[in-house]
Amino acid sequence: MNFQNKVGSVIFIVMLFSLAFHQQASAQRGKSGIKGGLNLSNLYLDDVTDQNARIGFNIGVYGQLLSTEKFAIQPELLYSTKGSTAQYSAGSLYQEVSYNLNYLDLPVLAVFKLGKSAEIHLGGYASYLLNANISYKGDIANSADPVDKDNLKSFDYGFSGGMGANFGDVQVGARYNFGLVKIADSSAARSLIGDAKNSCAQVYIAFNLGSK
């Protein structure tokens, strides 16, 4: 499947999920809508650090099921960029190398509602790797090379948690995703990233298009 077909498939899936979320939310007086924001991702071994973080984005749809005034279950479907960026310097030479991993994320979160003004989100996520590449920027090279997906695990999963502040039909929030899967799936990949796992901090804005 080429990249254009993958994009078309993702758009089709997002449209189906958006319709399903909207119908469920309307029936149960829960929220549903669209959301997007900024990713600050990294590949970690033993400890998560803020070094070599890659700046990216997330965008998709969400819905709340089994919604009450105090609790809901919130599945989401997001296109999310992850990976890491490393900087190297030797004398006057500078080079930046980015490991770019693009996923389709499915978080499923328990939502604890703190009145109408705020929510706490706790749960987990599963991800499917859509594509990957290594890009170079600097004095030595400026290019991007695709990565064979067979070198990386197709599926990732982990824990997810965060908070959201509500302003009418708009929510602004932050979330952290802690991956549990060693993403390298070949000796070649392990020689580059070892036993690295995904980590990703997110800030987002969500627009409620469903029932209140």
Side-chain angles (χ1 to χ4, degrees), residues 9-190:
S9 298
V10 170
I11 293 174
F12 179 70
I13 292 171
V14 168
M15 290 176 64
L16 287 179
F17 267 73
S18 180
L19 178 61
F21 287 165
H22 181 77
Q23 289 177 337
Q24 286 288 336
S26 297
Q28 300 176 5
R29 300 185 61 82
K31 295 179 180 179
S32 67
I34 59 175
K35 61 178 299 189
L38 179 71
N39 281 1
L40 193 63
S41 62
N42 213 334
L43 300 176
Y44 78 94
L45 292 173
D46 298 318
D47 300 310
V48 180
T49 70
D50 59 359
Q51 295 180 341
N52 302 330
R54 178 196 178 195
I55 298 175
F57 68 93
N58 63 88
I59 186 168
V61 296
Y62 73 97
Q64 289 190 352
L65 311 177
L66 307 176
S67 180
T68 69
E69 291 183 356
K70 296 184 178 180
F71 180 80
I73 298 295
Q74 180 167 308
E76 302 177 358
L77 188 68
L78 307 172
Y79 179 86
S80 186
T81 65
K82 302 178 186 179
S84 68
T85 299
Q87 292 85 26
Y88 305 94
S89 60
S92 61
L93 297 178
Y94 171 82
Q95 188 66 41
E96 181 178 282
V97 180
S98 296
Y99 299 93
N100 307 309
L101 311 175
N102 302 315
Y103 285 89
L104 190 64
D105 284 354
L106 177 63
V108 179
L109 306 162
V111 178
F112 301 93
K113 301 179 182 181
L114 309 178
K116 295 183 178 180
S117 60
E119 298 174 351
I120 296 174
H121 299 169
L122 297 173
Y125 74 89
S127 297
Y128 177 73
L129 180 64
L130 297 172
N131 54 66
N133 69 73
I134 301 176
S135 60
Y136 308 90
K137 180 180 179 182
D139 299 316
I140 300 174
N142 287 279
S143 61
D145 296 326
V147 174
D148 189 338
K149 281 185 57 181
D150 290 340
N151 290 308
L152 301 171
K153 298 283 180 63
S154 294
F155 293 95
D156 182 30
Y157 59 85
F159 299 117
S160 185
M163 291 191 65
N166 298 319
F167 303 92
D169 286 333
V170 177
Q171 182 178 94
V172 177
R175 182 179 301 168
Y176 180 70
N177 299 316
F178 184 79
L180 300 176
V181 175
K182 298 176 182 179
I183 64 174
D185 200 28
S186 70
S187 57
R190 281 187 288 271

